[in-house]
Amino acid sequence: MNEDFDSILAKLGTGKWNILFLITMCFWYSQLVYHTIAVVFLAPPVDHTCRRPPHAHTPIIVLPPEATHATGNTTSFPSTNIQEDSCHFLVENITTGRLVEEPCTEWDFDNTTFISTVTSEFQLVCDKQYLRATYHGMYMFGTLAGSFFNGYLADKYGRYTLICISSGIYSVTAIGSAWLTSVPWLFTARFLLGTMHPPSLLIGFILVQEIMEPKMRIVTGIMQFTSWSFATMLYSGWAYLIREWRWLQTFVSLPTLIMIPLLFTIDESPRWLAVVGQHQRALKVLRRAAKLNKVTLPPEQDLLAIMKIIQEQSTIKEQEVSKSVMDKLQNVAHEVLLLFSGHKIRLITFVMTLDFCIVGMLFYGLTMGANTLGVNLFIYVAISGTVEIPARTILLPITKWLGRKRTVIISYFITAVVLLTQPCIPEDLKVLSIVLIMIGKMMSTCAFTSIDVYITELIPTEVRSQGLGLTMAGSRLGAFIAPFLISAVEETYPWLMSVVFGLSALVACVALIPLWETENIRLPDTLADLDSLHTGTDSETNIQPDEEIRC
């Protein structure tokens, strides 16, 4: 089935029709960045002082006589151990005469860097400091929830339909949430944005891959995610120019409306249309593609014959799509249990879920780590996005040279080394600290991208979608944990962020050792194939580098 349709795509080649898809999805990926890492500029930690009420005690510094060359005795208060901080103020207990702490309820914020932020407007400090991390966590929790249903909806209603709906909801929510005035509603909007993230990102990626000729899929895949890196760099510039969080979010969200006319330039996936039996609609899309690419396709009767074969071979899938939601959930639960049914698949599931959780924590945590280093936030984020570009572009030749497993292990190992070294750098060598952190960010990007390839070759075709779904959920969990970890250590033990991330990368590196290399090994189609697979170099399971690898 895949070979037949791939031959059609090969005849179409790569032309204007394909480029319109690529431009549309690259643009949309760049828009998702502004809300995925919004916490960096919209809800950063802000210096603050307690706004003491009139009845609060005003601290008086009384120096000893020898310090002022004066005579006489110094005055002391009954309480000598209590110190004011930004979260409390002192009041005198009229009964005991002692000074006691009271929690602060209002603060004055330093507006040197930002005129207004979510942190300062909603006063997310002291006992409400965790809500800053929750601001980011709600988005990631939404992506976790959205990842469970986006595949089902895309299979049932189509890739293009789901992208249209999700991008529309995302645009309206992104613009409207900039003017919400309560924390609960703001967090609800963040969760909704998160649920629309997987349909926009993952299904968009699938759509582009399904309309590209085989030899261009790796290249276009890298290009799509490179647009994410460019947007990260651009975000730091917009944030530098616009220092009020509501206007910044509005400004970066308004371009999402450009997606509306762009959607009119692309089509539904003809491959999906063939699977679900909409052959005439698929023919219409292919005719338009041939016209735009200026090529000639085989006769329509030949195309219809190929699509008929595709539909017949996908009967089981079509029946599954037509089942009720409850039946679908039961099937998913059964298929997830298959991921723990044998020794090899269980090993893959545990190791990859752990590694995806760690790489998600590393990737997003290092993007948000400027405040723990005490460096310029705008420059840090710009450099953070910049180092992702070479990390993605050099990955293809490196993976071919070293193989999948060694590429991931080395990426994790270098990340661990530089992050564990960074806390040992003296404070007067801050530039070197930033360089080490950026190397860690670049190598974690390599790990994130290469592990995506590695896992698709480890998991058998029979349970590949379920395995990918579970492990991707692990990456969202890691991204959810990252801001809470940073929030817990950034003020008291900022060096601890690098230590925890470095040790985590080392754990991920060691965890991969029991797995095997997948390059030039025939991929398993079923769990039985996996169990019988020899991971050495025997002639039965290995294939030559120039032999075709099929999933």
Side-chain angles (χ1 to χ4, degrees):
M1 175 182 69
N2 289 340
E3 291 179 351
D4 287 337
F5 210 94
D6 282 346
S7 66
I8 298 175
L9 294 175
K11 288 183 175 63
L12 281 174
T14 302
K16 184 178 179 181
W17 181 69
N18 313 80
I19 292 173
L20 287 172
F21 281 84
L22 185 60
I23 290 174
T24 299
M25 296 319 305
C26 282
F27 168 78
W28 188 245
Y29 280 19
S30 69
Q31 301 308 298
L32 297 176
V33 173
Y34 302 131
H35 299 280
T36 306
I37 63 171
V39 65
V40 177
F41 295 119
L42 302 189
V46 181
D47 291 336
H48 54 280
T49 56
C50 181
R51 188 183 301 168
R52 292 176 291 128
H55 66 279
H57 165 70
T58 301
I60 300 176
I61 300 176
V62 182
L63 299 176
E66 58 269 20
T68 59
H69 303 287
T71 59
N73 298 324
T74 59
T75 303
S76 61
F77 289 98
S79 175
T80 58
N81 296 325
I82 301 177
Q83 300 292 328
E84 280 193 327
D85 57 31
S86 59
C87 297
H88 302 87
F89 59 90
L90 301 179
V91 296
E92 184 176 355
N93 189 303
I94 58 176
T95 303
T96 64
R98 292 181 176 274
L99 296 178
V100 296
E101 284 184 338
E102 292 287 341
C104 191
T105 57
E106 293 183 319
W107 294 265
D108 292 312
F109 290 88
D110 180 8
N111 61 359
T112 304
T113 304
F114 295 101
I115 298 174
S116 70
T117 63
V118 172
T119 306
S120 58
E121 180 171 332
F122 297 105
Q123 302 196 336
L124 307 184
V125 294
C126 298
D127 60 338
K128 294 192 291 184
Q129 181 178 340
Y130 72 95
L131 292 177
R132 279 184 44 245
T134 306
Y135 177 81
H136 175 75
M138 289 302 294
Y139 188 95
M140 287 302 167
F141 186 57
T143 64
L144 182 61
S147 63
F148 288 117
F149 63 78
N150 78 90
Y152 167 75
L153 294 176
D155 283 343
K156 185 172 184 178
Y157 299 107
R159 288 83 165 99
Y160 179 77
T161 302
L162 193 58
I163 291 171
C164 289
I165 294 173
S166 62
S167 60
I169 295 175
Y170 199 98
S171 300
V172 172
T173 307
I175 297 171
S177 63
W179 302 98
L180 295 175
T181 57
S182 75
V183 171
W185 280 111
L186 182 61
F187 283 10
T188 301
R190 291 284 296 168
F191 177 81
L192 181 58
L193 282 173
T195 59
M196 294 297 107
H197 181 109
S200 298
L201 186 73
L202 297 180
I203 304 305
F205 181 82
I206 290 172
L207 177 61
V208 173
Q209 296 301 85
E210 287 184 348
I211 59 92
M212 286 290 174
E213 58 180 317
K215 67 179 183 181
M216 292 298 295
R217 286 172 188 160
I218 294 178
V219 177
T220 55
I222 293 174
M223 289 179 65
Q224 288 178 79
F225 287 111
T226 301
S227 67
W228 179 285
S229 305
F230 278 112
T232 302
M233 297 164 52
L234 194 60
Y235 195 14
S236 62
W238 298 137
Y240 180 81
L241 295 173
I242 307 172
R243 306 294 183 97
E244 295 179 273
W245 81 270
R246 292 188 184 277
W247 287 110
L248 174 60
Q249 180 171 328
T250 301
F251 178 80
V252 298
S253 300
L254 282 174
T256 60
L257 299 177
I258 298 175
M259 189 66 174
I260 297 174
L262 285 177
L263 287 172
F264 285 99
T265 66
I266 63 176
D267 305 290
E268 181 58 84
S269 165
R271 173 169 263 149
W272 177 82
L273 292 172
V275 167
V276 297
Q278 299 186 35
H279 298 166
Q280 291 302 320
R281 188 178 169 193
L283 277 177
K284 183 178 179 181
V285 172
L286 292 174
R287 286 193 213 104
R288 179 173 182 266
K291 180 180 179 181
L292 290 176
N293 286 3
K294 298 180 180 180
V295 298
T296 302
L297 286 175
E300 289 190 0
Q301 58 268 27
D302 293 345
L303 296 176
L304 287 171
I306 293 173
M307 287 188 279
K308 184 177 180 181
I309 294 172
I310 292 174
Q311 185 185 10
E312 290 173 352
Q313 292 182 350
S314 62
T315 302
I316 296 176
K317 181 178 180 180
E318 188 175 3
Q319 289 175 350
E320 288 179 354
V321 171
S322 64
K323 288 182 178 180
S324 67
V325 174
M326 185 57 66
D327 289 338
K328 186 70 175 180
L329 291 175
Q330 290 176 350
N331 287 341
V332 169
H334 171 71
E335 290 166 356
V336 168
L337 290 177
L338 292 176
L339 297 172
F340 303 90
S341 59
H343 171 69
K344 287 185 178 178
I345 188 62
R346 188 161 53 242
L347 177 64
I348 294 171
T349 301
F350 280 124
V351 170
M352 282 300 176
T353 302
L354 173 65
D355 273 46
F356 267 94
C357 180
I358 291 174
V359 79
M361 181 176 67
L362 289 172
F363 183 81
Y364 289 103
L366 293 176
T367 302
M368 299 182 290
N371 294 293
T372 61
L373 296 174
V375 298
N376 185 290
L377 181 61
F378 307 104
I379 295 177
Y380 180 91
V381 174
I383 297 175
S384 175
T386 303
V387 298
E388 291 180 20
I389 297 173
R392 299 187 194 279
T393 53
I394 66 174
L395 193 60
L396 184 58
I398 289 178
T399 302
K400 288 184 177 180
W401 175 41
L402 295 176
R404 278 65 160 155
K405 177 181 175 179
R406 279 182 290 181
T407 299
V408 181
I409 287 179
I410 291 173
S411 298
Y412 274 129
F413 182 74
I414 296 176
T415 302
V417 169
V418 296
L419 292 182
L420 291 174
T421 303
Q422 187 272 330
C424 303
I425 304 300
E427 290 189 9
D428 57 341
L429 296 177
K430 188 166 289 186
V431 173
L432 180 57
S433 288
I434 298 175
V435 170
L436 291 176
I437 293 292
M438 288 300 105
I439 293 175
K441 175 63 186 297
M442 182 171 68
M443 298 314 299
S444 67
T445 303
C446 282
F448 210 157
T449 307
S450 55
I451 202 172
D452 283 337
V453 177
Y454 188 33
I455 189 174
T456 58
E457 297 176 343
L458 280 171
I459 299 181
T461 307
E462 182 181 3
V463 290
R464 186 165 293 136
S465 60
Q466 292 79 22
L468 288 173
L470 181 62
T471 53
M472 288 297 179
S475 72
R476 303 307 174 190
L477 178 61
F480 178 82
I481 293 172
F484 291 96
L485 175 61
I486 294 174
S487 177
V489 304
E490 64 186 354
E491 292 185 1
T492 52
Y493 306 103
W495 53 269
L496 194 56
M497 180 195 78
S498 292
V499 173
V500 173
F501 287 172
L503 290 175
S504 299
L506 196 59
V507 170
C509 177
V510 173
L512 286 166
I513 293 176
L515 298 181
W516 50 91
E517 179 57 63
T518 58
E519 187 173 12
N520 300 329
I521 290 182
R522 194 175 301 282
L523 302 185
D525 287 318
T526 66
L527 290 171
D529 290 341
L530 179 65
D531 290 336
S532 63
L533 178 68
H534 297 282
T535 55
T537 56
D538 63 280
S539 59
E540 183 178 4
T541 57
N542 285 5
I543 58 176
Q544 297 302 316
D546 58 346
E547 201 175 336
E548 183 181 7
I549 298 177
R550 294 189 180 91
C551 297

